[in-house]
Amino acid sequence: MSLRITLASPLLGFLSLLALLNLSLVHSKPPAPAPFPVPPFSCPYVPASEFVPTSVLKLRPADIQGVMAMGDSITAGFAMAGNFPHNIFEFRGLVFSIGGDEFTDGTGDTKTLSVPRFLHQYNNNITGFSTGLSLLKTKGASLNAAVSGAKSTELAEQVQYLKSQVATTYHGLASKWKLLTLFIGANDICSVCREGRSVEQTADSFETQLRSTLSDVHKAFPMTFVNVMNIFDITGVWKAASPSEFCRSRWSDLGDLGINECSCMKKNNSTRDMIAEVTPLVNNAVNKVAEEFSSEVTGDDKFHVVAQPAIQDIQVDKFGLSFLSTFDCFHPSLPADEIFSYLLWNNMFTPAEHKQTSVSNPMKFICPNETHYLQ
């Protein structure tokens, strides 16, 4: 793991160090073993198209020249890896959709499992991926625009960040094929009991924001294939973590510091029911809006959006604590993130009616050939 650290601001650095000092009194726990270890990615090389594709529906892996991502703390990689105190950072270099670190640590033994690393095997000039570490709430790194804590209402700022990056540091990508993965909604869902709105109103608001965001992305980034991730039921985190004395203690300790992640999940059965009810509505919104911006609907052969249901039916409680960060027993762990990378990759080469929505053994990567296109 690279030790490059992006400093969001001196104040944020101070607050992070203060939190570290306070949390040094909190006991820690080694990561749980993963029940579904992802196999190595060992697909054979397939060359790029002979000529630059003129249709977004005819993209081979090697045709992708740059990767981008938008989202929240999951796409920022918050608290994903390691053990306290090393796990209080954002591990942007390891994130399933945008991480570009070659190895998961400094030993050179374990290769990072992420879509950019998979794509790198087809095109070693690919760019845009994020690397190393950042402090919590960092507002973007490379072409990873994700901000921890972000809701759908804040995606417009992430679009502006990417526009600025592509216009300057990554100006060469404007006229090249790009892959953008958008994963948002967890914080919208986790606020469903706090904002005085019904589950239907929460989902409607999310749909409106997603439509506005994809409209902005469509205008700003031609030659782009967009994955929009469906989300899993967050109440599974409660089922996995709440029986654990360690996790209950960790939630209590973090609460004393004013950190109460997804309070609607922790409050009571009624608020957890609201989360369970709104999640499929949010996923329906993703499916609906993604279809509206598909190339077939818009007629734009340089832009396409696909809802990727790769992880929507994952039952976190079936994975247990191996799915969760050892820092907060809430965010996905590195083993969980590696499963995300496997499922998203396979989704990207599977027709809509056959896309996986969860994981099961045996696990096998789809290896595209010259007639396999992103879908």
Side-chain angles (χ1 to χ4, degrees):
M1 160 57 66
S2 167
L3 292 181
R4 292 182 300 278
I5 299 177
T6 301
L7 298 178
S9 71
L11 176 60
L12 203 51
F14 171 76
L15 292 176
S16 295
L17 289 173
L18 184 62
L20 191 155
L21 291 172
N22 278 290
L23 284 170
S24 66
L25 302 176
V26 181
H27 66 283
S28 195
K29 183 176 185 174
F36 293 95
V38 179
F41 184 85
S42 56
C43 290
Y45 173 73
V46 176
S49 302
E50 184 177 1
F51 302 102
V52 176
T54 57
S55 170
V56 69
L57 302 179
K58 296 292 184 180
L59 295 178
R60 296 179 186 175
D63 294 326
I64 299 298
Q65 302 296 314
V67 288
M68 305 186 292
M70 299 166 60
D72 53 32
S73 54
I74 297 177
T75 302
F78 176 64
M80 180 199 303
N83 208 16
F84 186 82
H86 308 292
N87 57 4
I88 66 170
F89 297 102
E90 295 173 337
F91 291 79
R92 290 180 183 259
L94 303 180
V95 174
F96 75 100
S97 59
I98 191 69
D101 283 351
E102 186 173 359
F103 298 100
T104 59
D105 54 34
T107 67
D109 291 333
T110 307
K111 286 186 175 293
T112 296
L113 296 172
S114 70
V115 168
R117 293 309 307 176
F118 304 155
L119 290 171
H120 187 268
Q121 295 194 203
Y122 301 92
N123 175 13
N124 58 18
N125 292 316
I126 195 166
T127 189
F129 50 79
S130 51
T131 58
L133 310 175
S134 59
L135 294 177
L136 180 63
K137 296 282 190 179
T138 294
K139 294 196 173 182
S142 301
L143 293 181
N144 179 351
V147 179
S148 291
K151 297 180 182 178
S152 60
T153 52
E154 298 158 68
L155 288 175
E157 297 176 25
Q158 296 188 26
V159 174
Q160 290 303 313
Y161 170 84
L162 290 176
K163 286 175 65 176
S164 174
Q165 289 289 94
V166 172
T168 55
T169 306
Y170 296 90
H171 61 88
L173 279 180
S175 59
K176 296 179 180 179
W177 286 110
K178 300 167 285 294
L179 175 69
L180 167 63
T181 301
L182 169 59
F183 188 17
I184 197 76
N187 294 305
D188 298 76
I189 290 170
C190 280
S191 301
V192 67
C193 72
R194 298 202 310 262
E195 298 185 347
R197 296 185 296 192
S198 67
V199 294
E200 291 81 9
Q201 289 170 325
T202 297
D204 287 346
S205 174
F206 175 87
E207 179 180 323
T208 298
Q209 294 297 333
L210 181 61
R211 182 175 292 108
S212 175
T213 296
L214 289 178
S215 178
D216 290 344
V217 169
H218 188 191
K219 295 170 186 173
F221 305 112
M223 299 188 73
T224 302
F225 186 104
V226 182
N227 296 315
V228 185
M229 301 292 294
N230 295 102
I231 193 167
F232 54 86
D233 183 358
I234 297 171
T235 62
V237 174
W238 170 264
K239 295 172 185 175
S242 61
S244 164
E245 181 181 353
F246 166 78
C247 288
R248 293 194 303 272
S249 174
R250 178 52 54 92
W251 288 346
S252 175
D253 290 330
L254 290 172
D256 290 342
L257 294 173
I259 303 171
N260 190 13
E261 295 161 318
C262 201
S263 58
C264 293
M265 180 193 75
K266 299 170 185 173
K267 190 173 182 181
N268 56 47
N269 288 335
S270 177
T271 57
R272 284 188 286 277
D273 286 345
M274 293 179 72
I275 288 177
E277 290 169 17
V278 77
T279 300
L281 299 181
V282 166
N283 282 331
N284 288 342
V286 167
N287 298 338
K288 177 182 177 181
V289 177
E291 176 67 20
E292 292 173 8
F293 287 90
S294 67
S295 177
E296 296 92 342
V297 172
T298 65
D300 185 350
D301 60 5
K302 298 295 192 294
F303 187 86
H304 187 53
V305 179
V306 177
Q308 302 290 14
I311 63 175
Q312 74 171 25
D313 292 328
I314 281 181
Q315 295 177 284
V316 179
D317 50 309
K318 298 296 176 62
F319 290 82
L321 297 185
S322 68
F323 191 93
L324 303 176
S325 164
T326 58
F327 173 72
D328 59 9
C329 292
F330 178 71
H331 284 88
S333 64
L334 179 59
D337 200 81
E338 291 176 341
I339 289 172
F340 294 178
S341 71
Y342 160 79
L343 290 170
L344 175 57
W345 178 263
N346 282 2
N347 264 204
M348 286 166 51
F349 297 99
T350 305
E353 64 272 19
H354 298 302
K355 290 182 186 288
Q356 288 177 265
T357 61
S358 187
V359 65
S360 60
N361 281 321
M363 300 173 72
K364 183 178 180 180
F365 279 102
I366 292 175
C367 291
N369 58 38
E370 292 185 4
T371 63
H372 269 99
Y373 304 118
L374 271 66
Q375 55 188 302

